[in-house]
Amino acid sequence: MGRLPAKTASPGLATKLDRGVLPTLLGYVLRRAQSAVFANFASTFATAGAALTPGEFGLMVLVERNIGLSQMALARALGIDRSTLVPILDRLQARGLLVRRHSPTDGRTHALALTPSGGKALARFTRLVGAHEKRIASSLSTAEIRTLIRLLEKVRADARSV
Amino acid sequence: MGRLPAKTASPGLATKLDRGVLPTLLGYVLRRAQSAVFANFASTFATAGAALTPGEFGLMVLVERNIGLSQMALARALGIDRSTLVPILDRLQARGLLVRRHSPTDGRTHALALTPSGGKALARFTRLVGAHEKRIASSLSTAEIRTLIRLLEKVRADARSV
DNA sequence: GATAATTTGTTTGATCCCCAAACAATCTCC
DNA sequence: GGAGATTGTTTGGGGATCAAACAAATTATC
């Protein structure tokens, strides 16, 4: 792919382009970092021959740690609509990683759980995520990572409180 | 909305739910912060009666600061495929904010530019983004914001370099 | 200078995420 | 027991994303 300046004739962009205020905007920087991290996650899993999105990983962890979770509770924990969750669970269930059991106490709800195969897969996924985490913070000290996480939590709280 | 414990009968989640390792994962915290910031952006603009996404704002800034930009150059700057850009530009153009001019020097490319109305709108949008930025970092000092942006840039670089 | 290769913008097709509204089944509350 | 709320699902409507194919136009090659 043409990575060289390529002598862009007119709308002069051989020269670096001007991003104006964008690099000083937290929202902009956050979005770009998130996008790069997402791409890294995808490539980490693709390289390992596994297919999983960050959202699916979070979902599986939540289901494993909270056996019998209902779809409503899970949707709330994930911050998405319950109707959005349905096709995601369908896919995970079709892959044999997760099951919707009948709740013995409430006929409306499903009791979610990982299958044995799902549990084993999650263990593997967790190792991959560990490697991914190391990569995306390879130039940060552990103190910096702690600081970053702390500041991000504050931003999240600030953003939500309006 | 039912914020009270609500006596969740069985799949016991009146108690806080267990997020396992998730809160220690940078990717997870980043994703949640980004999502909250995005929601705040949307509500800021909705409240002001304006309709714009963070991506559209970034795009408009780039076009204003780099007059005559081609779609390819813009797509590359945004990190998206050129085919993804087409419907986004269509919408902005339909709103009268932006035009695709014929490049005088290269018949293949379009020279993008904001319309006068688009320029005025961007000025207003920029003020809204400023207010939004203040809100999402209201509990952070300016030094903390600088630190956060610096660390996020490092993460982005780390994530990309693999 | 003529032909081949590349670049650009667009269309089409495929996933995916998201929400809102409506619906049947089920539960809770009075 | 009946009214009202909750749960999971379906349907409908936006978008975002990429990949592949194409025509038009520009470069590169000979």
Side-chain angles (χ1 to χ4, degrees):
Chain A
M1 303 93 199
R3 203 133 279 151
L4 331 189
K7 217 152 287 163
T8 316
S10 57
L13 263 307
T15 56
K16 284 284 183 329
L17 94 169
D18 183 354
R19 296 188 183 266
V21 289
L22 297 180
T24 72
L25 298 179
L26 182 52
Y28 182 78
V29 176
L30 190 55
R31 202 160 58 86
R32 300 200 106 214
Q34 211 277 321
S35 161
V37 167
F38 187 97
N40 188 287
F41 187 103
S43 100
T44 297
F45 274 72
T47 301
L52 204 76
T53 65
E56 289 168 341
F57 176 73
L59 186 157
M60 287 185 73
V61 170
L62 254 27
V63 170
E64 186 183 54
R65 307 285 302 205
N66 305 274
I67 307 177
L69 200 62
S70 74
Q71 294 184 197
M72 261 309 289
L74 180 55
R76 226 174 295 134
L78 294 171
I80 62 177
D81 194 88
R82 64 189 195 277
S83 64
T84 303
L85 191 55
V86 174
I88 301 176
L89 293 178
D90 287 348
R91 215 178 324 130
L92 256 22
Q93 189 161 18
R95 289 171 63 181
L97 300 175
L98 173 151
V99 284
R100 288 187 250 224
R101 297 216 182 89
H102 290 297
S103 165
T105 61
D106 189 334
R108 295 169 303 178
T109 71
H110 285 158
L112 301 174
L114 296 189
T115 61
S117 149
K120 266 183 288 188
L122 180 56
R124 175 162 171 251
F125 294 157
T126 302
R127 285 193 296 275
L128 288 174
V129 168
H132 156 70
E133 284 277 320
K134 272 202 119 151
R135 274 191 219 108
I136 64 173
S138 56
S139 72
L140 271 64
S141 69
T142 54
E144 282 178 322
I145 296 177
R146 262 199 313 271
T147 299
L148 180 50
I149 288 182
R150 181 177 57 82
L151 293 178
L152 286 172
E153 291 287 13
K154 286 180 84 170
V155 167
R156 173 156 178 272
D158 287 345
R160 291 180 68 84
S161 68
V162 178
Chain B
M1 302 94 198
R3 203 131 279 152
L4 331 188
K7 216 151 286 163
T8 316
S10 57
L13 264 307
T15 55
K16 286 284 183 328
L17 97 170
D18 182 356
R19 295 189 183 264
V21 290
L22 297 180
T24 70
L25 298 179
L26 181 53
Y28 181 78
V29 175
L30 190 55
R31 202 160 59 86
R32 301 200 105 215
Q34 210 279 319
S35 161
V37 167
F38 187 98
N40 189 288
F41 187 103
S43 101
T44 296
F45 274 72
T47 300
L52 204 76
T53 64
E56 289 167 342
F57 177 73
L59 186 157
M60 288 185 72
V61 171
L62 255 27
V63 169
E64 187 185 53
R65 307 287 301 205
N66 305 273
I67 308 176
L69 200 61
S70 74
Q71 295 185 196
M72 261 309 290
L74 180 56
R76 225 174 296 135
L78 294 172
I80 63 177
D81 194 89
R82 65 189 194 276
S83 64
T84 303
L85 191 55
V86 174
I88 301 175
L89 293 178
D90 287 348
R91 214 179 324 129
L92 256 22
Q93 189 160 19
R95 291 172 63 181
L97 301 175
L98 174 149
V99 284
R100 289 186 249 222
R101 297 216 182 91
H102 290 296
S103 165
T105 61
D106 189 333
R108 295 169 301 179
T109 71
H110 285 159
L112 301 175
L114 297 189
T115 61
S117 149
K120 266 183 287 187
L122 180 56
R124 175 162 172 254
F125 294 158
T126 302
R127 285 193 297 275
L128 288 174
V129 167
H132 155 71
E133 283 276 321
K134 271 201 119 152
R135 275 192 218 105
I136 64 173
S138 57
S139 72
L140 270 61
S141 69
T142 55
E144 283 178 323
I145 295 177
R146 261 200 314 269
T147 299
L148 180 49
I149 288 182
R150 181 178 57 82
L151 293 177
L152 286 173
E153 291 288 11
K154 287 180 81 170
V155 167
R156 173 154 177 274
D158 287 345
R160 290 181 68 85
S161 68
V162 177

mmCIF file of all heavy atoms in Angstrom, chain A residues 72-108:
data_model
loop_
_atom_site.group_PDB
_atom_site.id
_atom_site.type_symbol
_atom_site.label_atom_id
_atom_site.label_comp_id
_atom_site.label_asym_id
_atom_site.label_seq_id
_atom_site.Cartn_x
_atom_site.Cartn_y
_atom_site.Cartn_z
ATOM 1 N N MET A 72 -32.122 -9.926 32.352
ATOM 2 C CA MET A 72 -32.327 -8.525 32.730
ATOM 3 C C MET A 72 -31.160 -8.024 33.575
ATOM 4 O O MET A 72 -30.615 -6.944 33.322
ATOM 5 C CB MET A 72 -33.623 -8.386 33.541
ATOM 6 C CG MET A 72 -34.816 -7.920 32.751
ATOM 7 S SD MET A 72 -34.485 -6.435 31.787
ATOM 8 C CE MET A 72 -34.362 -5.190 33.080
ATOM 9 N N ALA A 73 -30.775 -8.824 34.570
ATOM 10 C CA ALA A 73 -29.680 -8.420 35.451
ATOM 11 C C ALA A 73 -28.386 -8.275 34.653
ATOM 12 O O ALA A 73 -27.612 -7.340 34.869
ATOM 13 C CB ALA A 73 -29.510 -9.437 36.576
ATOM 14 N N LEU A 74 -28.195 -9.194 33.722
ATOM 15 C CA LEU A 74 -26.987 -9.136 32.906
ATOM 16 C C LEU A 74 -26.989 -7.905 32.005
ATOM 17 O O LEU A 74 -25.989 -7.197 31.888
ATOM 18 C CB LEU A 74 -26.867 -10.411 32.066
ATOM 19 C CG LEU A 74 -25.655 -10.513 31.137
ATOM 20 C CD1 LEU A 74 -24.353 -10.329 31.899
ATOM 21 C CD2 LEU A 74 -25.661 -11.850 30.405
ATOM 22 N N ALA A 75 -28.139 -7.645 31.392
ATOM 23 C CA ALA A 75 -28.246 -6.469 30.516
ATOM 24 C C ALA A 75 -27.953 -5.194 31.308
ATOM 25 O O ALA A 75 -27.241 -4.303 30.846
ATOM 26 C CB ALA A 75 -29.633 -6.404 29.891
ATOM 27 N N ARG A 76 -28.494 -5.137 32.515
ATOM 28 C CA ARG A 76 -28.271 -3.960 33.352
ATOM 29 C C ARG A 76 -26.795 -3.828 33.693
ATOM 30 O O ARG A 76 -26.229 -2.733 33.641
ATOM 31 C CB ARG A 76 -29.116 -4.065 34.629
ATOM 32 C CG ARG A 76 -29.856 -2.780 34.985
ATOM 33 C CD ARG A 76 -30.788 -2.991 36.183
ATOM 34 N NE ARG A 76 -31.869 -3.919 35.890
ATOM 35 C CZ ARG A 76 -32.255 -4.932 36.684
ATOM 36 N NH1 ARG A 76 -31.657 -5.119 37.839
ATOM 37 N NH2 ARG A 76 -33.233 -5.719 36.311
ATOM 38 N N ALA A 77 -26.172 -4.952 34.013
ATOM 39 C CA ALA A 77 -24.745 -4.931 34.352
ATOM 40 C C ALA A 77 -23.905 -4.492 33.160
ATOM 41 O O ALA A 77 -22.875 -3.841 33.318
ATOM 42 C CB ALA A 77 -24.305 -6.310 34.827
ATOM 43 N N LEU A 78 -24.351 -4.846 31.983
ATOM 44 C CA LEU A 78 -23.597 -4.496 30.778
ATOM 45 C C LEU A 78 -23.968 -3.112 30.252
ATOM 46 O O LEU A 78 -23.310 -2.569 29.374
ATOM 47 C CB LEU A 78 -23.848 -5.530 29.677
ATOM 48 C CG LEU A 78 -23.334 -6.951 29.937
ATOM 49 C CD1 LEU A 78 -23.836 -7.904 28.868
ATOM 50 C CD2 LEU A 78 -21.820 -6.963 29.999
ATOM 51 N N GLY A 79 -25.057 -2.568 30.786
ATOM 52 C CA GLY A 79 -25.492 -1.253 30.336
ATOM 53 C C GLY A 79 -26.107 -1.260 28.962
ATOM 54 O O GLY A 79 -26.030 -0.271 28.228
ATOM 55 N N ILE A 80 -26.717 -2.377 28.584
ATOM 56 C CA ILE A 80 -27.388 -2.436 27.295
ATOM 57 C C ILE A 80 -28.841 -2.846 27.477
ATOM 58 O O ILE A 80 -29.233 -3.317 28.543
ATOM 59 C CB ILE A 80 -26.706 -3.427 26.319
ATOM 60 C CG1 ILE A 80 -26.765 -4.839 26.894
ATOM 61 C CG2 ILE A 80 -25.282 -3.007 26.045
ATOM 62 C CD1 ILE A 80 -26.185 -5.880 25.963
ATOM 63 N N ASP A 81 -29.635 -2.665 26.434
ATOM 64 C CA ASP A 81 -31.035 -3.022 26.495
ATOM 65 C C ASP A 81 -31.196 -4.544 26.501
ATOM 66 O O ASP A 81 -30.378 -5.261 25.924
ATOM 67 C CB ASP A 81 -31.754 -2.428 25.291
ATOM 68 C CG ASP A 81 -33.263 -2.470 25.460
ATOM 69 O OD1 ASP A 81 -33.800 -1.516 26.039
ATOM 70 O OD2 ASP A 81 -33.874 -3.464 25.042
ATOM 71 N N ARG A 82 -32.242 -5.017 27.120
ATOM 72 C CA ARG A 82 -32.408 -6.472 27.180
ATOM 73 C C ARG A 82 -32.646 -7.082 25.807
ATOM 74 O O ARG A 82 -32.295 -8.232 25.551
ATOM 75 C CB ARG A 82 -33.532 -6.857 28.147
ATOM 76 C CG ARG A 82 -34.919 -6.384 27.758
ATOM 77 C CD ARG A 82 -35.877 -6.652 28.929
ATOM 78 N NE ARG A 82 -37.274 -6.551 28.550
ATOM 79 C CZ ARG A 82 -37.956 -5.422 28.474
ATOM 80 N NH1 ARG A 82 -37.352 -4.282 28.745
ATOM 81 N NH2 ARG A 82 -39.228 -5.419 28.131
ATOM 82 N N SER A 83 -33.217 -6.285 24.912
ATOM 83 C CA SER A 83 -33.438 -6.807 23.556
ATOM 84 C C SER A 83 -32.121 -6.926 22.774
ATOM 85 O O SER A 83 -32.008 -7.741 21.870
ATOM 86 C CB SER A 83 -34.420 -5.930 22.797
ATOM 87 O OG SER A 83 -33.901 -4.637 22.611
ATOM 88 N N THR A 84 -31.162 -6.123 23.160
ATOM 89 C CA THR A 84 -29.847 -6.194 22.499
ATOM 90 C C THR A 84 -29.120 -7.470 22.888
ATOM 91 O O THR A 84 -28.323 -8.021 22.119
ATOM 92 C CB THR A 84 -28.992 -4.989 22.901
ATOM 93 O OG1 THR A 84 -29.687 -3.797 22.573
ATOM 94 C CG2 THR A 84 -27.657 -4.989 22.184
ATOM 95 N N LEU A 85 -29.412 -7.913 24.102
ATOM 96 C CA LEU A 85 -28.702 -9.072 24.645
ATOM 97 C C LEU A 85 -29.095 -10.369 23.953
ATOM 98 O O LEU A 85 -28.268 -11.288 23.820
ATOM 99 C CB LEU A 85 -29.005 -9.156 26.150
ATOM 100 C CG LEU A 85 -28.197 -10.115 27.005
ATOM 101 C CD1 LEU A 85 -26.708 -9.861 26.858
ATOM 102 C CD2 LEU A 85 -28.626 -9.988 28.462
ATOM 103 N N VAL A 86 -30.333 -10.432 23.508
ATOM 104 C CA VAL A 86 -30.875 -11.690 22.970
ATOM 105 C C VAL A 86 -30.004 -12.309 21.869
ATOM 106 O O VAL A 86 -29.587 -13.470 21.993
ATOM 107 C CB VAL A 86 -32.329 -11.489 22.487
ATOM 108 C CG1 VAL A 86 -32.846 -12.739 21.795
ATOM 109 C CG2 VAL A 86 -33.220 -11.124 23.662
ATOM 110 N N PRO A 87 -29.701 -11.580 20.792
ATOM 111 C CA PRO A 87 -28.893 -12.210 19.738
ATOM 112 C C PRO A 87 -27.471 -12.544 20.182
ATOM 113 O O PRO A 87 -26.862 -13.463 19.649
ATOM 114 C CB PRO A 87 -28.888 -11.174 18.614
ATOM 115 C CG PRO A 87 -29.273 -9.894 19.254
ATOM 116 C CD PRO A 87 -30.127 -10.222 20.411
ATOM 117 N N ILE A 88 -26.961 -11.804 21.155
ATOM 118 C CA ILE A 88 -25.612 -12.091 21.652
ATOM 119 C C ILE A 88 -25.609 -13.432 22.380
ATOM 120 O O ILE A 88 -24.743 -14.283 22.155
ATOM 121 C CB ILE A 88 -25.135 -10.964 22.593
ATOM 122 C CG1 ILE A 88 -25.143 -9.615 21.849
ATOM 123 C CG2 ILE A 88 -23.753 -11.272 23.149
ATOM 124 C CD1 ILE A 88 -24.793 -8.432 22.717
ATOM 125 N N LEU A 89 -26.610 -13.619 23.229
ATOM 126 C CA LEU A 89 -26.725 -14.905 23.938
ATOM 127 C C LEU A 89 -27.012 -16.035 22.958
ATOM 128 O O LEU A 89 -26.488 -17.143 23.100
ATOM 129 C CB LEU A 89 -27.836 -14.825 24.991
ATOM 130 C CG LEU A 89 -27.572 -13.889 26.169
ATOM 131 C CD1 LEU A 89 -28.763 -13.867 27.113
ATOM 132 C CD2 LEU A 89 -26.312 -14.299 26.924
ATOM 133 N N ASP A 90 -27.827 -15.748 21.952
ATOM 134 C CA ASP A 90 -28.124 -16.758 20.929
ATOM 135 C C ASP A 90 -26.826 -17.294 20.322
ATOM 136 O O ASP A 90 -26.645 -18.505 20.160
ATOM 137 C CB ASP A 90 -28.977 -16.149 19.807
ATOM 138 C CG ASP A 90 -30.416 -15.904 20.243
ATOM 139 O OD1 ASP A 90 -30.812 -16.416 21.322
ATOM 140 O OD2 ASP A 90 -31.145 -15.196 19.521
ATOM 141 N N ARG A 91 -25.951 -16.369 19.986
ATOM 142 C CA ARG A 91 -24.696 -16.754 19.336
ATOM 143 C C ARG A 91 -23.813 -17.578 20.265
ATOM 144 O O ARG A 91 -23.281 -18.621 19.890
ATOM 145 C CB ARG A 91 -23.960 -15.488 18.894
ATOM 146 C CG ARG A 91 -23.199 -15.645 17.605
ATOM 147 C CD ARG A 91 -22.532 -14.328 17.208
ATOM 148 N NE ARG A 91 -23.346 -13.176 17.554
ATOM 149 C CZ ARG A 91 -22.911 -12.125 18.216
ATOM 150 N NH1 ARG A 91 -21.655 -12.066 18.614
ATOM 151 N NH2 ARG A 91 -23.719 -11.116 18.487
ATOM 152 N N LEU A 92 -23.662 -17.097 21.506
ATOM 153 C CA LEU A 92 -22.835 -17.811 22.481
ATOM 154 C C LEU A 92 -23.411 -19.202 22.763
ATOM 155 O O LEU A 92 -22.676 -20.181 22.916
ATOM 156 C CB LEU A 92 -22.772 -16.980 23.780
ATOM 157 C CG LEU A 92 -21.494 -16.189 24.106
ATOM 158 C CD1 LEU A 92 -20.646 -15.891 22.887
ATOM 159 C CD2 LEU A 92 -21.820 -14.924 24.858
ATOM 160 N N GLN A 93 -24.735 -19.253 22.808
ATOM 161 C CA GLN A 93 -25.391 -20.528 23.063
ATOM 162 C C GLN A 93 -25.202 -21.470 21.866
ATOM 163 O O GLN A 93 -24.954 -22.658 22.036
ATOM 164 C CB GLN A 93 -26.877 -20.288 23.316
ATOM 165 C CG GLN A 93 -27.628 -21.519 23.802
ATOM 166 C CD GLN A 93 -28.947 -21.163 24.467
ATOM 167 O OE1 GLN A 93 -29.476 -20.073 24.288
ATOM 168 N NE2 GLN A 93 -29.479 -22.076 25.266
ATOM 169 N N ALA A 94 -25.277 -20.900 20.668
ATOM 170 C CA ALA A 94 -25.089 -21.714 19.457
ATOM 171 C C ALA A 94 -23.669 -22.273 19.398
ATOM 172 O O ALA A 94 -23.437 -23.336 18.825
ATOM 173 C CB ALA A 94 -25.383 -20.876 18.213
ATOM 174 N N ARG A 95 -22.733 -21.551 20.014
ATOM 175 C CA ARG A 95 -21.348 -22.034 20.042
ATOM 176 C C ARG A 95 -21.118 -23.005 21.191
ATOM 177 O O ARG A 95 -19.991 -23.470 21.399
ATOM 178 C CB ARG A 95 -20.395 -20.842 20.192
ATOM 179 C CG ARG A 95 -20.321 -19.976 18.955
ATOM 180 C CD ARG A 95 -19.550 -18.694 19.213
ATOM 181 N NE ARG A 95 -18.149 -18.924 19.570
ATOM 182 C CZ ARG A 95 -17.288 -17.952 19.851
ATOM 183 N NH1 ARG A 95 -17.676 -16.697 19.830
ATOM 184 N NH2 ARG A 95 -16.047 -18.236 20.159
ATOM 185 N N GLY A 96 -22.159 -23.252 21.957
ATOM 186 C CA GLY A 96 -22.042 -24.220 23.049
ATOM 187 C C GLY A 96 -21.275 -23.717 24.250
ATOM 188 O O GLY A 96 -20.810 -24.493 25.075
ATOM 189 N N LEU A 97 -21.165 -22.400 24.374
ATOM 190 C CA LEU A 97 -20.394 -21.844 25.483
ATOM 191 C C LEU A 97 -21.271 -21.520 26.684
ATOM 192 O O LEU A 97 -20.766 -21.383 27.802
ATOM 193 C CB LEU A 97 -19.679 -20.560 25.028
ATOM 194 C CG LEU A 97 -18.697 -20.696 23.861
ATOM 195 C CD1 LEU A 97 -18.159 -19.338 23.439
ATOM 196 C CD2 LEU A 97 -17.553 -21.622 24.242
ATOM 197 N N LEU A 98 -22.549 -21.420 26.452
ATOM 198 C CA LEU A 98 -23.461 -20.875 27.465
ATOM 199 C C LEU A 98 -24.840 -21.503 27.304
ATOM 200 O O LEU A 98 -25.206 -21.891 26.196
ATOM 201 C CB LEU A 98 -23.499 -19.359 27.251
ATOM 202 C CG LEU A 98 -24.434 -18.448 27.998
ATOM 203 C CD1 LEU A 98 -23.781 -17.068 28.116
ATOM 204 C CD2 LEU A 98 -25.741 -18.295 27.246
ATOM 205 N N VAL A 99 -25.566 -21.625 28.405
ATOM 206 C CA VAL A 99 -26.932 -22.152 28.337
ATOM 207 C C VAL A 99 -27.922 -21.251 29.065
ATOM 208 O O VAL A 99 -27.565 -20.576 30.021
ATOM 209 C CB VAL A 99 -27.051 -23.566 28.954
ATOM 210 C CG1 VAL A 99 -26.490 -24.596 28.001
ATOM 211 C CG2 VAL A 99 -26.364 -23.615 30.302
ATOM 212 N N ARG A 100 -29.136 -21.274 28.574
ATOM 213 C CA ARG A 100 -30.242 -20.603 29.253
ATOM 214 C C ARG A 100 -31.047 -21.690 29.932
ATOM 215 O O ARG A 100 -31.771 -22.428 29.272
ATOM 216 C CB ARG A 100 -31.122 -19.870 28.240
ATOM 217 C CG ARG A 100 -30.490 -18.618 27.652
ATOM 218 C CD ARG A 100 -31.482 -17.850 26.775
ATOM 219 N NE ARG A 100 -31.092 -17.945 25.368
ATOM 220 C CZ ARG A 100 -31.088 -16.908 24.518
ATOM 221 N NH1 ARG A 100 -31.476 -15.723 24.922
ATOM 222 N NH2 ARG A 100 -30.723 -17.065 23.273
ATOM 223 N N ARG A 101 -30.918 -21.809 31.244
ATOM 224 C CA ARG A 101 -31.701 -22.818 31.974
ATOM 225 C C ARG A 101 -33.009 -22.191 32.437
ATOM 226 O O ARG A 101 -33.113 -20.987 32.590
ATOM 227 C CB ARG A 101 -30.916 -23.298 33.196
ATOM 228 C CG ARG A 101 -29.611 -23.993 32.849
ATOM 229 C CD ARG A 101 -29.332 -25.148 33.812
ATOM 230 N NE ARG A 101 -28.040 -25.767 33.479
ATOM 231 C CZ ARG A 101 -26.865 -25.356 33.993
ATOM 232 N NH1 ARG A 101 -26.847 -24.358 34.856
ATOM 233 N NH2 ARG A 101 -25.751 -25.945 33.646
ATOM 234 N N HIS A 102 -33.988 -23.054 32.674
ATOM 235 C CA HIS A 102 -35.226 -22.562 33.271
ATOM 236 C C HIS A 102 -34.974 -22.276 34.732
ATOM 237 O O HIS A 102 -34.433 -23.120 35.446
ATOM 238 C CB HIS A 102 -36.338 -23.609 33.125
ATOM 239 C CG HIS A 102 -36.804 -23.761 31.708
ATOM 240 N ND1 HIS A 102 -37.404 -22.744 31.008
ATOM 241 C CD2 HIS A 102 -36.738 -24.817 30.855
ATOM 242 C CE1 HIS A 102 -37.688 -23.165 29.786
ATOM 243 N NE2 HIS A 102 -37.286 -24.423 29.665
ATOM 244 N N SER A 103 -35.351 -21.106 35.154
ATOM 245 C CA SER A 103 -35.231 -20.820 36.574
ATOM 246 C C SER A 103 -36.280 -21.617 37.328
ATOM 247 O O SER A 103 -37.449 -21.638 36.934
ATOM 248 C CB SER A 103 -35.433 -19.330 36.822
ATOM 249 O OG SER A 103 -35.665 -19.097 38.198
ATOM 250 N N PRO A 104 -35.886 -22.294 38.399
ATOM 251 C CA PRO A 104 -36.838 -23.117 39.144
ATOM 252 C C PRO A 104 -37.814 -22.262 39.947
ATOM 253 O O PRO A 104 -38.919 -22.699 40.256
ATOM 254 C CB PRO A 104 -35.942 -23.950 40.062
ATOM 255 C CG PRO A 104 -34.679 -23.175 40.188
ATOM 256 C CD PRO A 104 -34.541 -22.324 38.958
ATOM 257 N N THR A 105 -37.418 -21.041 40.241
ATOM 258 C CA THR A 105 -38.240 -20.217 41.125
ATOM 259 C C THR A 105 -39.035 -19.137 40.396
ATOM 260 O O THR A 105 -40.032 -18.655 40.904
ATOM 261 C CB THR A 105 -37.364 -19.517 42.183
ATOM 262 O OG1 THR A 105 -36.440 -18.675 41.497
ATOM 263 C CG2 THR A 105 -36.611 -20.531 43.005
ATOM 264 N N ASP A 106 -38.592 -18.760 39.214
ATOM 265 C CA ASP A 106 -39.289 -17.692 38.486
ATOM 266 C C ASP A 106 -39.404 -18.084 37.012
ATOM 267 O O ASP A 106 -38.422 -18.080 36.280
ATOM 268 C CB ASP A 106 -38.513 -16.376 38.619
ATOM 269 C CG ASP A 106 -39.307 -15.192 38.067
ATOM 270 O OD1 ASP A 106 -40.158 -15.401 37.177
ATOM 271 O OD2 ASP A 106 -39.069 -14.055 38.514
ATOM 272 N N GLY A 107 -40.595 -18.408 36.617
ATOM 273 C CA GLY A 107 -40.823 -18.906 35.261
ATOM 274 C C GLY A 107 -40.549 -17.893 34.166
ATOM 275 O O GLY A 107 -40.454 -18.258 33.002
ATOM 276 N N ARG A 108 -40.453 -16.631 34.525
ATOM 277 C CA ARG A 108 -40.190 -15.628 33.492
ATOM 278 C C ARG A 108 -38.722 -15.572 33.124
ATOM 279 O O ARG A 108 -38.364 -15.322 31.970
ATOM 280 C CB ARG A 108 -40.601 -14.244 34.012
ATOM 281 C CG ARG A 108 -42.065 -14.074 34.264
ATOM 282 C CD ARG A 108 -42.304 -12.784 35.012
ATOM 283 N NE ARG A 108 -41.567 -12.745 36.272
ATOM 284 C CZ ARG A 108 -41.571 -11.726 37.107
ATOM 285 N NH1 ARG A 108 -42.262 -10.629 36.798
ATOM 286 N NH2 ARG A 108 -40.905 -11.774 38.237
#
